[in-house]
Amino acid sequence: MEKSKVVSLEDRIPKLKQQRKKKANRRLIFLLLLFFSLIVLVIYFQSPLSHIKQIKVSGNSIYDKEEIIQISGVTEKTNIWKVDEEAIEGKLKELPEIKSSTVKIQLPSTINIQVDELKRIAYIAKEKHYLPVMENGSILKDEKVAEIPVNAPILNDFSEGDILNMMIGELESLPEEVLNSISEIHHSPKKTDSNHITLYMNDGFEVSATLRSFSEKMAHYPSIISQLDPEKKGIIDLEVGSYFKAYETEGAEEVEKENEGEG
């Protein structure tokens, strides 16, 4: 072996020392960075910088924003990293008029709460008050309304049970235009039909119907009244076919539905 290719131990020692020094310096820098990062994180978590600065609420109409926030339990002093989305969603779902809710963290400091409220499909007349009936058939007995509601039909002579559930199901199937045109619905059973109901409409007409075919026939209500004289009020019978009988006459005339062939 040639002497020029032989590296003596004395020549290698300085290089080894230099490599070890660089390695030690890199390790020291890493440890220092880790140490300072931990300090920064501790300061961040303990400071107002990690607190919630904005709480957004959407989808609410029955409950106001402040009530939703209060139920959620989050405040501007809450650490955003300690927010439990599922726990908040569980709290909100306990409200009688909340169908579901979604809670999301939006960094750096915002909480988004979106709620899906149950629809008030009707009101039950109870003594001098009106109790909201929700789309799932439940009656809010603690939510008494003193004034006559204008945003949903008033149900008279109904009680919790199959008949009410059937009525709610039929109302849910109605077009919103038709639902908003109903003022009152009375459960008026007959010997031949325990499901008979009588409706009083906002336009002054009266409707006689049965729950078994109510939503199907009532969906044609706009077409039916378009064929009638709006000044000549009376009873629209939807039990069998479609008949109109004016209050001041004894005879009844059949109403031909323009959309009879539909559905």
Side-chain angles (χ1 to χ4, degrees):
M1 185 178 291
E2 298 180 9
K3 291 184 178 181
S4 60
K5 293 184 179 180
V6 176
V7 180
S8 65
L9 182 62
E10 289 79 5
D11 293 333
R12 293 180 62 189
I13 287 175
K15 291 182 179 180
L16 289 172
K17 286 183 178 180
Q18 188 176 11
Q19 289 176 356
R20 288 175 182 173
K21 187 176 181 181
K22 287 182 179 179
K23 193 173 183 180
N25 287 340
R26 284 198 297 269
R27 186 179 299 168
L28 178 62
I29 292 171
F30 172 75
L31 291 174
L32 287 173
L33 287 173
L34 180 62
F35 175 71
F36 283 112
S37 296
L38 290 172
I39 291 177
V40 170
L41 286 174
V42 170
I43 294 173
Y44 169 72
F45 282 116
Q46 296 298 322
S47 73
L49 292 173
S50 63
H51 292 173
I52 295 171
K53 290 184 173 58
Q54 188 175 23
I55 304 172
K56 296 180 180 179
V57 179
S58 59
N60 59 307
S61 59
I62 298 172
Y63 296 99
D64 56 35
K65 177 181 177 180
E66 288 70 24
E67 191 171 6
I68 295 290
I69 292 174
Q70 184 179 6
I71 296 296
S72 74
V74 296
T75 68
E76 292 184 354
K77 292 183 179 180
T78 302
N79 189 307
I80 197 164
W81 300 106
K82 293 182 179 180
V83 173
D84 187 335
E85 295 102 318
E86 290 185 3
I88 295 173
E89 290 170 3
K91 289 180 182 178
L92 293 174
K93 198 169 182 181
E94 291 178 2
L95 293 172
E97 297 185 64
I98 295 293
K99 186 188 300 183
S100 63
S101 64
T102 303
V103 179
K104 290 184 178 179
I105 295 173
Q106 182 182 335
L107 296 176
S109 56
T110 300
I111 297 294
N112 291 309
I113 301 175
Q114 183 173 0
V115 297
D116 184 10
E117 297 177 333
L118 288 165
K119 185 179 179 181
R120 293 188 178 190
I121 202 78
Y123 288 83
I124 285 274
K126 196 76 171 179
E127 297 176 352
K128 295 182 179 180
H129 296 91
Y130 303 94
L131 306 179
V133 182
M134 311 311 294
E135 61 182 88
N136 61 357
S138 62
I139 301 174
L140 303 186
K141 297 178 180 178
D142 295 329
E143 295 285 334
K144 295 181 179 179
V145 178
E147 297 181 357
I148 297 176
V150 295
N151 59 340
I154 298 171
L155 304 181
N156 291 276
D157 306 313
F158 284 87
S159 56
E160 286 184 277
D162 293 340
I163 297 294
L164 176 61
N165 292 337
M166 191 185 303
M167 183 75 259
I168 296 302
E170 293 294 304
L171 290 174
E172 281 189 278
S173 301
L174 286 179
E176 190 170 352
E177 174 192 2
V178 177
L179 181 64
N180 293 337
S181 68
I182 303 172
S183 175
E184 295 182 27
I185 304 176
H186 293 253
H187 180 216
S188 50
K190 296 180 177 181
K191 289 182 179 180
T192 56
D193 184 11
S194 60
N195 295 320
H196 182 265
I197 53 175
T198 302
L199 290 78
Y200 296 95
M201 310 301 290
N202 290 324
D203 55 18
F205 288 99
E206 181 181 335
V207 177
S208 177
T210 180
L211 280 171
R212 291 190 298 271
S213 58
F214 174 69
S215 61
E216 178 186 353
K217 291 188 175 182
M218 197 62 188
H220 302 304
Y221 184 76
S223 174
I224 293 172
I225 61 171
S226 68
Q227 303 172 56
L228 301 175
D229 183 352
E231 301 299 323
K232 190 178 181 181
K233 303 303 181 185
I235 301 171
I236 300 171
D237 191 331
L238 298 181
E239 293 181 71
V240 181
S242 299
Y243 295 90
F244 173 71
K245 181 181 178 181
Y247 287 131
E248 66 271 18
T249 62
E250 295 183 358
E253 59 181 281
E254 185 174 0
V255 179
E256 295 182 4
K257 292 181 290 184
E258 292 179 357
N259 44 12
E260 196 170 26
E262 296 181 6

